[in-house]
Coordinates of all heavy atoms in Angstrom, one line a residue:
D1 N 95.9 115.5 105.2 CA 97.1 116.4 105.0 C 98.2 116.1 106.0 O 98.1 116.5 107.0 CB 96.7 117.8 105.0 CG 97.8 118.8 104.8 OD1 98.9 118.4 104.3 OD2 97.7 120.0 105.1
L2 N 99.1 115.3 105.5 CA 100.2 114.8 106.5 C 101.4 115.8 106.3 O 102.2 115.7 107.3 CB 100.6 113.4 106.2 CG 99.5 112.3 106.2 CD1 100.0 111.0 106.0 CD2 98.8 112.4 107.6
D3 N 101.7 116.4 105.2 CA 102.9 117.2 105.0 C 102.6 118.7 105.2 O 103.6 119.5 104.9 CB 103.5 116.9 103.7 CG 102.7 117.3 102.5 OD1 101.5 117.7 102.7 OD2 103.1 117.2 101.3
G4 N 101.4 119.1 105.5 CA 101.2 120.5 105.8 C 101.1 121.4 104.6 O 101.4 122.5 104.8
D5 N 100.8 120.8 103.4 CA 100.7 121.7 102.2 C 99.3 122.3 102.0 O 99.0 122.9 101.0 CB 101.2 121.0 101.0 CG 100.3 119.9 100.5 OD1 99.4 119.5 101.1 OD2 100.6 119.3 99.4
G6 N 98.4 122.0 102.9 CA 97.0 122.5 102.8 C 96.1 121.7 102.0 O 94.9 122.1 101.9
L7 N 96.5 120.5 101.6 CA 95.6 119.7 100.8 C 95.6 118.3 101.4 O 96.6 117.8 101.8 CB 96.1 119.6 99.4 CG 96.0 120.9 98.5 CD1 96.8 120.7 97.2 CD2 94.5 121.2 98.2
A8 N 94.5 117.6 101.3 CA 94.3 116.2 101.7 C 94.8 115.2 100.7 O 94.1 114.5 100.1 CB 92.8 115.9 102.1
N9 N 96.1 115.4 100.4 CA 96.7 114.8 99.3 C 97.8 113.7 99.7 O 98.7 113.4 99.0 CB 97.3 115.7 98.2 CG 98.3 116.6 98.9 OD1 98.6 116.5 100.1 ND2 98.8 117.6 98.0
D10 N 97.6 113.2 100.9 CA 98.6 112.1 101.5 C 97.7 111.0 101.9 O 96.6 111.1 102.5 CB 99.3 112.8 102.6 CG 100.1 114.0 102.2 OD1 101.1 113.9 101.4 OD2 99.8 115.1 102.8
L11 N 98.3 109.8 101.7 CA 97.6 108.5 102.1 C 98.4 107.8 103.1 O 99.6 107.8 103.0 CB 97.4 107.7 100.8 CG 96.6 108.3 99.6 CD1 96.6 107.4 98.4 CD2 95.1 108.5 100.1
C12 N 97.7 107.1 103.9 CA 98.3 106.1 104.9 C 97.6 104.8 104.5 O 96.5 104.6 104.8 CB 98.1 106.5 106.3 SG 98.9 105.5 107.5
V13 N 98.4 103.9 103.9 CA 97.9 102.7 103.4 C 98.4 101.5 104.2 O 99.6 101.3 104.5 CB 98.4 102.5 101.9 CG1 97.8 101.1 101.4 CG2 98.0 103.6 101.1
T14 N 97.5 100.6 104.7 CA 97.8 99.4 105.4 C 97.7 98.2 104.4 O 96.6 98.0 103.9 CB 96.9 99.1 106.6 OG1 96.8 100.4 107.4 CG2 97.4 98.1 107.5
D15 N 98.9 97.7 104.1 CA 98.9 96.7 103.0 C 99.2 95.3 103.5 O 100.4 95.1 103.9 CB 99.9 97.1 101.9 CG 99.8 96.3 100.6 OD1 99.2 95.2 100.6 OD2 100.4 96.8 99.6
P16 N 98.3 94.3 103.6 CA 98.6 93.0 104.1 C 99.6 92.3 103.2 O 100.2 91.3 103.6 CB 97.2 92.3 104.1 CG 96.4 93.0 103.1 CD 96.9 94.5 103.1
R17 N 99.8 92.6 101.9 CA 100.7 91.9 101.0 C 102.1 92.0 101.6 O 102.9 91.1 101.4 CB 100.6 92.5 99.6 CG 99.2 92.3 99.0 CD 99.2 93.0 97.5 NE 99.6 94.4 97.7 CZ 99.8 95.2 96.7 NH1 99.8 94.7 95.5 NH2 100.0 96.5 96.9
I18 N 102.5 93.2 102.2 CA 103.8 93.4 102.8 C 103.8 93.6 104.3 O 104.8 93.7 104.9 CB 104.5 94.6 102.0 CG1 103.6 95.9 102.2 CG2 104.7 94.3 100.5 CD1 104.3 97.1 101.6
D19 N 102.6 93.7 104.8 CA 102.4 93.8 106.3 C 103.1 95.1 106.7 O 103.8 95.1 107.8 CB 102.8 92.6 107.1 CG 101.7 91.7 107.4 OD1 100.5 92.1 107.1 OD2 101.9 90.5 107.7
Q20 N 103.0 96.2 106.0 CA 103.6 97.5 106.3 C 102.5 98.6 106.2 O 101.5 98.4 105.6 CB 104.7 97.8 105.3 CG 105.8 96.8 105.2 CD 106.7 96.8 106.5 OE1 106.8 97.8 107.2 NE2 107.2 95.7 106.9
V21 N 102.8 99.6 107.0 CA 101.9 100.8 106.9 C 102.7 101.8 106.1 O 103.8 102.4 106.5 CB 101.6 101.4 108.3 CG1 100.7 102.6 108.2 CG2 101.0 100.3 109.2
V22 N 102.2 102.2 104.9 CA 102.9 103.0 104.0 C 102.3 104.5 103.9 O 101.0 104.6 103.8 CB 102.8 102.4 102.6 CG1 103.4 103.3 101.5 CG2 103.6 101.1 102.6
V23 N 103.1 105.4 104.0 CA 102.7 106.9 103.7 C 103.1 107.2 102.3 O 104.3 107.0 102.0 CB 103.5 107.8 104.7 CG1 103.1 109.3 104.4 CG2 102.9 107.5 106.2
T24 N 102.2 107.6 101.5 CA 102.5 107.9 100.1 C 101.6 109.1 99.6 O 100.5 109.3 100.1 CB 102.2 106.6 99.3 OG1 102.4 106.8 97.9 CG2 100.7 106.2 99.4
P25 N 102.1 109.8 98.7 CA 101.3 111.0 98.2 C 100.3 110.5 97.2 O 100.4 109.4 96.6 CB 102.4 111.8 97.4 CG 103.5 110.8 97.0 CD 103.5 109.9 98.1
V26 N 99.2 111.2 97.1 CA 98.1 110.9 96.2 C 98.6 111.0 94.8 O 99.5 111.9 94.5 CB 96.9 111.9 96.3 CG1 96.0 111.9 95.2 CG2 96.2 111.6 97.7
P27 N 98.3 110.1 93.9 CA 98.9 110.1 92.6 C 98.4 111.3 91.8 O 97.3 111.8 92.1 CB 98.4 108.8 91.9 CG 97.2 108.4 92.7 CD 97.5 108.9 94.1
G28 N 99.1 111.7 90.8 CA 98.7 112.9 90.0 C 99.8 113.8 89.8 O 101.0 113.5 90.0
A29 N 99.5 115.1 89.5 CA 100.5 116.1 89.1 C 101.5 116.4 90.2 O 102.6 116.7 89.8 CB 99.8 117.4 88.7
R30 N 101.1 116.2 91.5 CA 102.0 116.7 92.5 C 102.5 115.4 93.4 O 102.8 115.5 94.5 CB 101.4 117.6 93.4 CG 100.9 118.9 92.7 CD 100.4 120.0 93.7 NE 101.4 120.4 94.6 CZ 101.2 120.2 95.9 NH1 100.1 119.7 96.4 NH2 102.1 120.6 96.8
S31 N 102.5 114.2 92.7 CA 102.9 113.0 93.4 C 104.4 112.9 93.8 O 104.8 112.1 94.5 CB 102.4 111.8 92.6 OG 103.1 111.8 91.4
G32 N 105.2 113.8 93.2 CA 106.7 113.7 93.5 C 107.1 114.4 94.7 O 108.4 114.7 94.8
R33 N 106.2 114.9 95.5 CA 106.7 115.7 96.7 C 107.5 115.0 97.7 O 108.4 115.5 98.3 CB 105.4 116.1 97.4 CG 104.6 117.2 96.7 CD 103.2 117.5 97.5 NE 102.3 116.3 97.3 CZ 101.7 115.7 98.3 NH1 102.0 116.0 99.5 NH2 100.8 114.7 98.0
Y34 N 107.4 113.6 97.8 CA 108.3 112.7 98.5 C 108.0 111.3 98.1 O 107.0 111.0 97.4 CB 107.9 112.9 100.1 CG 106.5 112.6 100.4 CD1 106.1 111.3 100.8 CD2 105.5 113.6 100.5 CE1 104.8 111.0 101.1 CE2 104.2 113.3 100.9 CZ 103.9 112.0 101.1 OH 102.6 111.7 101.5
A35 N 109.0 110.5 98.4 CA 108.9 109.1 97.9 C 108.1 108.3 99.1 O 108.1 108.5 100.2 CB 110.3 108.5 97.9
P36 N 107.2 107.3 98.5 CA 106.6 106.5 99.4 C 107.5 105.8 100.4 O 108.6 105.4 100.0 CB 105.9 105.5 98.5 CG 105.8 106.2 97.1 CD 107.0 107.0 97.1
F37 N 107.1 105.7 101.7 CA 107.9 105.0 102.7 C 107.0 104.2 103.7 O 105.8 104.6 103.8 CB 108.8 106.0 103.3 CG 108.0 107.0 104.1 CD1 107.7 106.9 105.4 CD2 107.7 108.3 103.6 CE1 107.0 107.8 106.1 CE2 107.0 109.3 104.2 CZ 106.7 109.0 105.6
A38 N 107.5 103.3 104.3 CA 106.8 102.6 105.4 C 107.2 103.1 106.7 O 108.4 103.5 107.0 CB 107.2 101.0 105.2
L39 N 106.3 103.1 107.6 CA 106.5 103.6 109.0 C 107.5 102.5 109.6 O 107.3 101.4 109.5 CB 105.3 103.8 109.8 CG 104.3 104.8 109.2 CD1 103.0 104.8 110.0 CD2 105.0 106.2 109.4
D40 N 108.3 103.0 110.5 CA 109.4 102.2 111.2 C 109.0 102.2 112.7 O 109.1 103.2 113.4 CB 110.8 102.7 110.9 CG 111.9 101.8 111.4 OD1 111.4 100.8 112.1 OD2 113.0 102.1 111.2
P41 N 108.6 101.0 113.3 CA 108.3 101.0 114.7 C 109.5 101.0 115.6 O 109.3 101.1 116.8 CB 107.5 99.7 114.8 CG 108.0 98.8 113.7 CD 108.4 99.7 112.6
R42 N 110.7 100.8 115.1 CA 111.8 100.7 116.0 C 112.0 102.0 116.7 O 111.7 103.0 116.1 CB 113.1 100.3 115.2 CG 113.1 98.9 114.6 CD 114.2 98.6 113.7 NE 114.2 99.6 112.5 CZ 115.2 99.6 111.5 NH1 116.2 98.7 111.7 NH2 115.2 100.5 110.6
P43 N 112.4 102.0 118.0 CA 113.0 100.8 118.7 C 111.9 100.1 119.6 O 112.3 99.4 120.5 CB 114.0 101.6 119.7 CG 113.4 102.9 119.9 CD 112.6 103.3 118.7
L44 N 110.6 100.3 119.3 CA 109.6 99.6 120.0 C 109.8 98.1 119.8 O 110.1 97.7 118.7 CB 108.2 100.1 119.7 CG 108.0 101.6 119.9 CD1 106.5 101.9 119.6 CD2 108.3 102.0 121.3
P45 N 109.4 97.2 120.8 CA 109.5 95.8 120.7 C 108.5 95.3 119.7 O 107.3 95.7 119.7 CB 109.4 95.3 122.1 CG 108.5 96.4 122.8 CD 109.0 97.7 122.2
M46 N 108.9 94.3 118.9 CA 108.0 93.7 118.0 C 108.3 92.2 117.9 O 109.2 91.7 118.6 CB 108.2 94.2 116.5 CG 108.0 95.8 116.4 SD 106.3 96.3 116.6 CE 105.6 95.9 115.0

């Protein structure tokens, strides 16, 4: 539960195809709560 709605309906996906860490809602009836996005490490050095 990343958005505090009381359900374990959020995913943190590490995807080597794009080398990004993505936060995305579980698919289904309430998947439109927010748009999937990649975590941004800036301003940390990379």
Side-chain angles (χ1 to χ4, degrees):
D1 178 12
L2 302 182
D3 64 354
D5 69 353
L7 292 170
N9 56 3
D10 304 293
L11 300 172
C12 186
V13 181
T14 309
D15 190 343
R17 297 174 303 167
I18 58 175
D19 270 345
Q20 299 292 326
V21 182
V22 173
V23 175
T24 181
V26 165
R30 303 185 59 240
S31 59
R33 289 172 288 126
Y34 56 89
F37 62 89
L39 296 175
D40 187 353
R42 294 176 298 180
L44 299 185
M46 303 291 285

